[in-house]
Amino acid sequence: MSSSSDPPRHYAIVLLLLLLGFSVAAADDVSWTEDSNLETPGCTNKFQMVKILNWIDGVESDDFLTGLTAQFGESLPSDADHGVRSPVAFVHPLDSCSNLSSRLDGRIALSIRGNCAFTEKAKHAEEAGASALLVINDKEDLDEMGCMEKDGSLNVSIPVLMISKSSGDALNRSMVENKSVELLLYAPTRPSVDLTAGLLLLMAVGTVVIASLWSDLTDPDQANESYSILAKEFSGAGARKDDPEKEILDISVTGAVFFIVTASIFLLVLFYFMSSWFVWVLTIFFCIGGMQGMHNIITAVLLRKWRYLGRRSVKLPLFGTMSWMSLLVNIFCLSFAVFWFIKRHTSYAWAGQDILGICLMITALQVVRLPNIKVATVLLCCAFVYDIFWVFISPLIFHESVMIVVAQGDSSSGESIPMLLRIPRFFDPWGGYDMIGFGDILFPGLLISFASRYDKIKKRVISSGYFLWLTIGYGVGLLLTYLGLYLMDGHGQPALLYIVPCTLGLAVILGLVRGELKELWNYGIEESESNTPEEPLPAA
């Protein structure tokens, strides 16, 4: 990357956080893996996610457990009022692979996975008088409990479901302490249309649009003057010159490739060495970058309305001279970031994370930019391959999707890397969040910002320019991403798989149709080449 001026002090933080701009759209649902698709008589149920409410000594727990129904057994109702509610008890033997030694008399049976067929466990539990059977898996995933050919026709009349190892451990701890544990089982249905995904889409598109039009929004007179000067220079010299007062990093072709390679290496480091302290360090960097982004945005907005606020200054030790306005804004931003860091595990922390993240991305898109379509093609095509590889292909090599594992953070401590925009599913009985990585906003945002600058310099009306159409293409790409997420039952999607063709592909097609692709491809190159000093001829 090349800089048009001395690098500002926040470049390092912005670039580090760009490296952590995960390109994955996901929903933090409980997932399961396929185990059996065999359908026999009595074994034709659809797999359903189950919500398990629990009471310990008569006090309802704030958290609920999740389970997955078997392909056989009685179906569970969709509302809690008609659910199966009963005390829970461990069976003997624990794997329920032989006749149970005691009657259960309407209690919910709790069994470990063991080595026998799931149908065999269910028959033994039902014969002992259980009202339902919960099978504790030996891992965190929920495997599908199907049937075997030798099972023949089944007639299991109790609900059978699987819960994760950690859920079983939690129940076991309560029961070991001689506490009374009661469970309620039901299978609420998820709404077919996820409205919060639409809000997340608007947040992503809005961030890109605001970042692209930031100079016009905060200082329109100065922006118009700058674009007029650049337009004259373009018409006279065939290329544009940068404003020497602006702190800009132009990405080069080499820099684009190096950036993606470095991001891949960093992703592997996180995958292998993920720990709570590592996530804390990255979260602190996120807070610092978000603070600086928030400071830049607030001061720009205030100075647009009240320019005199920046005239009164104060001299501080270590920090030097700064305006009173900047000092007060810095105190506010620091307080906001510290408050979010302390409360980052609360139910409302998503709002603070999104505010800091949006401020950071708007600032990053002011600092880093693409000079032409040539560099945009290299960067976005590399990011396209990077996204697909680390989400879809990496499980073949590393046995897990590296991108998704890193985005989920450290499971042992509950810490996650905050380089995501997320929003709760307000209308979903299962709760959870819809999420989109910073990379899915920053990479297309760089291209859309370039389109906005190009349209302004060429004095294009909005319909004949590129900015509007690429913004629409970005929105369509996000819609396709969430359609893929829906069709894949919430499994993480490489969003750039859909976004890059809808933005870069559209830009190339429009350039070809309008006969401007060569100009877009080489934009900004001719002048730099024409300004290269010629070598003197050797003396005769």
Side-chain angles (χ1 to χ4, degrees), residues 209-219 296-297 300-301 362 366:
V209 170
I210 291 172
S212 301
L213 303 177
W214 185 248
S215 59
D216 302 275
L217 296 173
T218 56
D219 196 350
N296 293 341
I297 289 173
V301 171
I362 291 175
Q366 306 308 304

Side-chain angles (χ1 to χ4, degrees), residues 86 91 105 525 531:
S86 183
V91 299
D105 297 327
I525 294 177
N531 289 340

Side-chain angles (χ1 to χ4, degrees), residues 204 207-208 361 365 421 436-446 474:
T207 298
V208 170
M361 286 188 285
L365 290 173
L421 292 187
I436 185 170
F438 283 2
D440 303 324
I441 301 173
L442 291 170
F443 287 123
L446 289 168
Y474 178 51

Side-chain angles (χ1 to χ4, degrees), residues 439-516:
D440 303 324
I441 301 173
L442 291 170
F443 287 123
L446 289 168
L447 175 62
I448 294 172
S449 294
F450 165 76
S452 176
R453 294 195 308 273
Y454 182 84
D455 287 351
K456 287 295 181 65
I457 291 170
K458 299 286 287 185
K459 297 183 178 180
R460 295 286 178 84
V461 297
I462 192 167
S463 59
S464 63
Y466 292 86
F467 171 72
L468 173 64
W469 300 112
L470 294 191
T471 301
I472 294 173
Y474 178 51
V476 171
L478 287 175
L479 282 174
L480 293 176
T481 300
Y482 283 99
L483 177 61
L485 196 65
Y486 173 77
L487 296 176
M488 294 289 288
D489 294 321
H491 292 286
Q493 293 291 296
L496 294 180
L497 169 65
Y498 310 93
I499 294 173
V500 170
C502 292
T503 52
L504 179 63
L506 180 59
V508 171
I509 291 172
L510 285 175
L512 283 172
V513 171
R514 296 171 177 176
E516 299 173 340

Side-chain angles (χ1 to χ4, degrees), residues 35-336:
D35 188 38
S36 172
N37 291 317
L38 180 66
E39 291 189 0
T40 59
C43 193
T44 57
N45 293 349
K46 291 184 178 180
F47 297 106
Q48 290 181 298
M49 293 302 299
V50 178
K51 183 175 286 190
I52 306 171
L53 306 183
N54 60 95
W55 287 259
I56 300 175
D57 285 342
V59 179
E60 185 176 1
S61 175
D62 293 332
D63 299 324
F64 63 86
L65 307 178
T66 55
L68 179 67
T69 59
Q71 211 168 8
F72 53 90
E74 184 182 7
S75 299
L76 286 167
S78 59
D79 60 292
D81 292 337
H82 298 90
V84 176
R85 179 171 178 174
S86 183
V88 66
F90 274 104
V91 299
H92 299 283
L94 281 175
D95 59 5
S96 190
C97 288
S98 59
N99 292 329
L100 304 187
S101 60
S102 60
R103 296 288 301 174
L104 293 172
D105 297 327
R107 286 176 290 179
I108 296 173
L110 200 59
S111 165
I112 63 173
R113 180 156 183 167
N115 296 316
C116 60
F118 296 120
T119 52
E120 189 175 347
K121 296 176 186 293
K123 289 175 182 177
H124 292 146
E126 184 177 16
E127 289 170 358
S131 59
L133 171 64
L134 271 62
V135 179
I136 303 173
N137 204 5
D138 51 12
K139 55 185 178 180
E140 286 306 297
D141 290 333
L142 299 177
D143 296 332
E144 295 178 351
M145 294 187 291
C147 306
M148 302 176 67
E149 292 183 10
K150 64 179 182 180
D151 290 331
S153 180
L154 289 174
N155 187 24
V156 178
S157 60
I158 62 171
V160 181
L161 56 143
M162 177 174 284
I163 60 175
S164 67
K165 183 178 184 298
S166 61
S167 296
D169 291 341
L171 293 174
N172 182 49
R173 283 193 298 269
S174 299
M175 297 171 71
V176 166
E177 296 170 1
N178 294 321
K179 295 180 179 179
S180 171
V181 179
E182 190 177 16
L183 302 181
L184 172 64
L185 315 177
Y186 68 106
T189 55
R190 173 159 280 162
S192 56
V193 179
D194 186 4
L195 297 179
T196 56
L199 297 177
L200 192 63
L201 186 150
L202 291 176
M203 287 169 58
V205 174
T207 298
V208 170
V209 170
I210 291 172
S212 301
L213 303 177
W214 185 248
S215 59
D216 302 275
L217 296 173
T218 56
D219 196 350
D221 295 335
Q222 179 64 34
N224 290 333
E225 182 180 350
S226 299
Y227 285 127
S228 297
I229 293 172
L230 291 174
K232 292 178 181 178
E233 291 174 348
F234 181 89
S235 60
R240 54 105 180 112
K241 292 182 181 179
D242 295 329
D243 184 349
E245 295 183 358
K246 289 186 177 181
E247 298 170 333
I248 298 296
L249 283 174
D250 276 332
I251 303 176
S252 64
V253 170
T254 304
V257 176
F258 176 78
F259 184 83
I260 298 298
V261 172
T262 306
S264 297
I265 295 172
F266 204 83
L267 199 64
L268 276 178
V269 171
L270 288 171
F271 178 73
Y272 282 112
F273 301 103
M274 179 71 70
S275 62
S276 58
W277 70 266
F278 203 164
V279 178
W280 290 339
V281 171
L282 296 176
T283 303
I284 290 172
F285 275 112
F286 168 77
C287 289
I288 295 173
M291 283 168 49
Q292 292 183 342
M294 184 182 291
H295 173 270
N296 293 341
I297 289 173
I298 293 175
T299 53
V301 171
L302 291 177
L303 289 175
R304 187 196 189 290
K305 186 69 175 177
W306 302 286
R307 292 188 178 275
Y308 62 87
L309 290 177
R311 296 171 186 170
R312 298 186 61 184
S313 61
V314 58
K315 190 171 184 180
L316 299 173
L318 300 179
F319 297 98
T321 303
M322 69 171 62
S323 68
W324 277 103
M325 178 199 67
S326 182
L327 174 61
L328 294 175
V329 172
N330 269 317
I331 293 173
F332 170 78
C333 295
L334 176 62
S335 302
F336 186 94

Side-chain angles (χ1 to χ4, degrees), residues 419-433:
M419 283 65 180
L420 298 160
L421 292 187
R422 59 184 188 136
I423 186 169
R425 293 198 184 124
F426 298 108
F427 310 103
D428 194 327
W430 287 99
Y433 294 85

